[in-house]
Amino acid sequence: MTTAMGSYEWRFDSGRLCLDLVATGEPAPRGFEEQPRTDGAGLLGRWLTGSGLVPPGTPLTGVDTNWVQRFAELRDCVGQLVRAQIDGRYAAVALERVNAIAADAPPGIRAVREPGGALVRALSAEPECGALLAVVARDTVDLLTDPDARARLRQCEGDSCRRVYLDTSRGRRRRWCSSEVCGNRERVARHRRRAAVARA
């Protein structure tokens, strides 16, 4: 699912929940924390559902500017950690913060029947910010402590794109966060360069 934010869309194609959160700040225009109050909370609510962190139809009446600030803080810490990992650096303060957030309990879940009879996932109680943050922080810990997953972390090679993604391609040769977005931009740019050379 994608949710429009001006000319930008939320995308959920980075390969991990925590990397999808990092992507909400990349590229500009603005992340949910930089929007007007109601817009920021609404965008975060749509991201929570679109990412699968909460099941569709979950009431998100508690999402407010405090939630927005806390998710933006976690996003920045996760971004520092994964980029430090790619660059072979340490990000001790960010790691300490992610570990602290991961220590909270994630939300309880249960199976409920839809009107048609199928079982679907639901939360056991109204979602709490700390519990949802814990899910993302635990996903970060899982990613960074899994040697195979860690080795697949990549920074997009697209011009002006800073997205980080998990390279799950067979030969580990993926260059862009999305072939349809950054890959397509690169192909169009190459075509224009060739056409300009041909005209010259």
Side-chain angles (χ1 to χ4, degrees):
M1 172 183 147
T2 58
T3 302
M5 186 180 77
S7 61
Y8 177 69
E9 293 181 333
W10 297 131
R11 291 183 2 227
F12 304 102
D13 55 3
S14 64
R16 292 298 286 249
L17 174 64
C18 61
L19 299 180
D20 285 338
L21 178 62
V22 172
T24 65
E26 309 291 348
R30 302 179 301 172
F32 40 70
E33 81 286 3
E34 297 169 302
Q35 301 293 325
R37 279 185 175 210
T38 54
D39 292 353
L43 282 172
L44 176 57
R46 290 192 291 277
W47 183 86
L48 293 171
T49 303
S51 68
L53 194 51
V54 299
T58 301
L60 295 171
T61 55
V63 178
D64 59 13
T65 54
N66 178 54
W67 283 49
V68 168
Q69 291 166 355
R70 291 174 69 185
F71 269 89
E73 178 202 10
L74 178 59
R75 180 192 64 203
D76 294 344
C77 289
V78 175
Q80 290 172 39
L81 279 173
V82 296
R83 288 191 175 93
Q85 181 63 45
I86 290 169
D87 296 339
R89 297 180 290 105
Y90 295 104
V93 174
L95 180 61
E96 184 178 325
R97 187 67 188 123
V98 167
N99 282 335
I101 294 169
D104 283 347
I109 59 169
R110 60 195 180 109
V112 297
R113 290 217 182 269
E114 284 187 312
L119 287 171
V120 295
R121 182 174 64 101
L123 298 183
S124 300
E126 186 175 338
E128 296 178 359
C129 187
L132 296 178
L133 288 166
V135 175
V136 181
R138 287 172 180 225
D139 184 57
T140 307
V141 171
D142 288 344
L143 170 63
L144 295 176
T145 57
D146 178 339
D148 183 57
R150 206 171 48 225
R152 292 176 179 267
L153 276 171
R154 301 285 185 273
Q155 170 100 27
C156 182
E157 294 180 22
D159 286 343
S160 73
C161 183
R162 298 193 65 238
R163 282 177 181 255
V164 178
Y165 61 91
L166 212 58
D167 182 359
T168 55
S169 65
R170 190 171 291 169
R172 295 191 186 189
R173 294 182 189 152
R174 184 173 158 192
R175 296 178 51 208
W176 304 295
C177 62
S178 167
S179 180
E180 293 77 24
V181 180
C182 287
N184 190 52
R185 283 187 197 129
E186 179 65 24
R187 288 187 288 274
V188 168
R190 269 199 315 257
H191 173 73
R192 287 181 179 157
R193 285 192 297 268
R194 282 195 303 266
V197 168
R199 284 192 303 269

